[in-house]
Amino acid sequence: MSSARFESDPEQDTHTAEFAERVRANQQKLTAELKPHYDFIVCGSGSSGSVVARRLAENAEVSVLLLEAGGSDDMPSIMEAGQWPLNIGSERDWAFMGQSNPHLNGRSIPLNMGKVGVPAGRSAMAPRPTAWWDELRIQQIAGAATAFLFAGLAPALVMAALWYTAKIARTAFTFTFAIALSLAVLLGLPLFMVFRSKGWINVMSCVVFGFAVGATPAGVLTWPMHHPEPHTSASVDGVPTIINGVITAAGWVSYVKPLIYFGSLGALGGFAFWVALIWSGTVGKAAAAVDRSRTSGAELRHPVRSALPRAE
């Protein structure tokens, strides 16, 4: 095992100290020469405000004033990068707090924003957006998985209750649960992803599309009866369903009855899916994530606080 030893460069340290001294002297000179009027006043000397002021100052014919709240930045906690976390919670922190979140047990997340030219950000001790987002996504995935499990259990329990024999009931439960869960994942999951992105998740959409998910396979499997061969006839329990290639009213009834039956089981699964989503809080967390991502996107698109024209 080898260890590396890093030593500072005396020449570089000298240049850094000289540069810091020039900056300090320049700030003192500008402070002593404040004017009553400026062509441009930029409010906020963070990452964006400083860039705006620098670009405006490239024109030697205009005067620019860069303002920042707080006191002097000539202090170790600002000048030395290793001490930057010490600014959290100090007089150089705006100490903003987010609104209390019911999904975080009513807690309010601190939004640390720096004064005296410290860029708005978070230190390693503050909550990281990626960690918050990863935790929220895990909770959403767990909630959605639970909801799909409930969507398969609800119709399976109903089918098991319809059988009086325990042996048959267990078989009916297992068979129905496997089919219902498979349909919920294969057909319901894509619908859930689309509807969640649109904000259309509610009890009505879950029940209606649950009915569609349950009825669709039965309708597809029995669809060939709509195209009977000419001059053919068929009957069910002595009741004619097809006469000379034409489907009778009894035939349509025999086709629709299974769709209603399986669709009702699917609607029950959709309702159970909705109840599980509400119970796990997945719907509210998804809305909160969308709102937070939109707010963060707006902040990134408009980072400049303000650049005001001549103040007379």
Side-chain angles (χ1 to χ4, degrees):
M1 180 181 296
S2 61
S3 59
R5 182 180 179 181
F6 298 93
E7 296 181 355
S8 61
D9 186 354
E11 183 178 356
Q12 183 178 1
D13 293 343
T14 302
H15 290 320
T16 302
E18 292 177 353
F19 176 76
E21 183 59 33
R22 291 199 305 271
V23 170
R24 184 180 297 106
N26 182 60
Q27 288 180 340
Q28 293 175 354
K29 177 177 178 292
L30 295 176
T31 302
E33 298 177 354
L34 285 176
K35 303 176 182 179
H37 306 288
Y38 287 86
D39 295 311
F40 293 95
I41 300 177
V42 181
C43 299
S45 63
S47 303
S48 301
S50 299
V51 173
V52 171
R54 175 64 179 86
R55 293 295 300 273
L56 292 173
E58 291 178 356
N59 186 351
E61 298 180 357
V62 300
S63 58
V64 181
L65 176 63
L66 179 61
L67 295 177
E68 177 59 48
S72 172
D73 59 358
D74 187 8
M75 54 187 62
S77 61
I78 296 179
M79 303 299 292
E80 299 180 14
Q83 299 188 29
W84 189 87
L86 298 178
N87 294 300
I88 301 296
S90 68
E91 67 275 7
R92 294 172 296 281
D93 186 354
W94 286 107
F96 294 141
M97 294 292 294
Q99 294 183 349
S100 60
N101 192 333
H103 303 295
L104 297 176
N105 295 325
R107 290 182 295 157
S108 297
I109 301 300
L111 304 176
N112 304 109
M113 305 284 285
K115 302 180 185 178
V116 295
V118 180
R122 295 172 174 84
S123 69
M125 299 182 300
R128 295 181 295 114
T130 54
W132 177 88
W133 182 257
D134 291 342
E135 181 181 358
L136 181 60
R137 291 191 63 181
I138 292 174
Q139 293 176 355
Q140 289 182 356
I141 293 174
T146 302
F148 280 108
L149 185 63
F150 273 61
L153 283 174
L157 291 173
V158 172
M159 286 294 295
L162 296 177
W163 297 92
Y164 297 102
T165 305
K167 182 178 180 180
I168 299 179
R170 288 195 296 268
T171 303
F173 173 84
T174 304
F175 184 74
T176 305
F177 176 73
I179 293 179
L181 185 60
S182 300
L183 293 178
V185 173
L186 294 177
L187 301 181
L189 181 58
L191 291 173
F192 172 71
M193 298 297 292
V194 172
F195 276 52
R196 190 186 67 168
S197 64
K198 300 294 184 179
W200 296 344
I201 300 296
N202 53 58
V203 62
M204 183 60 66
S205 62
C206 290
V207 171
V208 170
F209 283 92
F211 183 94
V213 169
T216 298
V220 172
L221 292 176
T222 57
W223 186 256
M225 70 168 295
H226 288 288
H227 304 281
E229 297 179 1
H231 309 294
T232 59
S233 300
S235 61
V236 176
D237 295 332
V239 179
T241 56
I242 302 176
I243 300 178
N244 293 329
V246 179
I247 302 174
T248 64
W252 282 109
V253 170
S254 65
Y255 172 74
V256 172
K257 285 174 63 177
L259 301 188
I260 297 177
Y261 179 77
F262 291 111
S264 298
L265 293 177
L268 177 62
F271 180 75
F273 180 82
W274 165 253
V275 171
L277 285 180
I278 297 299
W279 173 72
S280 63
T282 302
V283 175
K285 293 172 183 176
V290 172
D291 293 340
R292 180 161 182 162
S293 63
R294 288 175 178 174
T295 302
S296 300
E299 292 176 351
L300 291 176
R301 289 192 297 271
H302 305 283
V304 180
R305 298 177 184 175
S306 62
L308 305 179
R310 177 190 296 267
E312 297 292 351

